[in-house]
Amino acid sequence: MVDAIADSPTPLKISNDVKPAVAPASSLLKVEFSYKPEKLQLIAWPSEKKQAYSEPMEGFEAVLPAEKGRYIYALSGVWKEGRGDYVFIIEIK
């Protein structure tokens, strides 16, 4: 396997072009892959004065925030073939 480095925009810049999914406060985020990664990390990007945080996703699930607002997430998965990163927005109503 060959490692590559690409100059790509940050999740904050990508989020300008992404329509947010709407979810209720404190709801469960469940991530499913047809080919499960060996490791999955959820990274919350700061927006609207919220702090960034990162956590492993145990069982591919995480509880969404209780506070209303727009949240930017990056999801990073590791497979034996390599790594994949995804950006999505959730608006808590």
Side-chain angles (χ1 to χ4, degrees):
M1 183 170 82
V2 176
D3 287 334
I5 297 174
D7 187 19
S8 62
T10 67
L12 292 173
K13 287 184 181 180
I14 293 171
S15 70
N16 294 329
D17 300 326
V18 176
K19 182 178 177 183
V22 177
S26 302
S27 58
L28 184 66
L29 170 68
K30 186 172 182 178
V31 177
E32 295 182 2
F33 289 94
S34 56
Y35 178 42
K36 289 187 178 180
E38 297 167 3
K39 182 179 171 185
L40 194 61
Q41 183 108 16
L42 181 66
I43 302 142
W45 280 75
S47 66
E48 300 175 16
K49 300 181 184 176
K50 295 174 184 71
Q51 295 292 336
Y53 68 89
S54 173
E55 63 184 54
M57 287 191 74
E58 297 297 328
F60 300 98
E61 295 180 348
V63 176
L64 293 173
E67 186 180 330
K68 292 180 182 183
R70 187 171 183 260
Y71 294 83
I72 302 166
Y73 291 99
L75 189 64
S76 181
V78 177
W79 291 262
K80 64 181 177 181
E81 296 84 3
R83 176 184 164 153
D85 296 298
Y86 308 88
V87 174
F88 58 96
I89 313 299
I90 296 182
E91 187 169 339
I92 302 296
K93 294 280 185 173

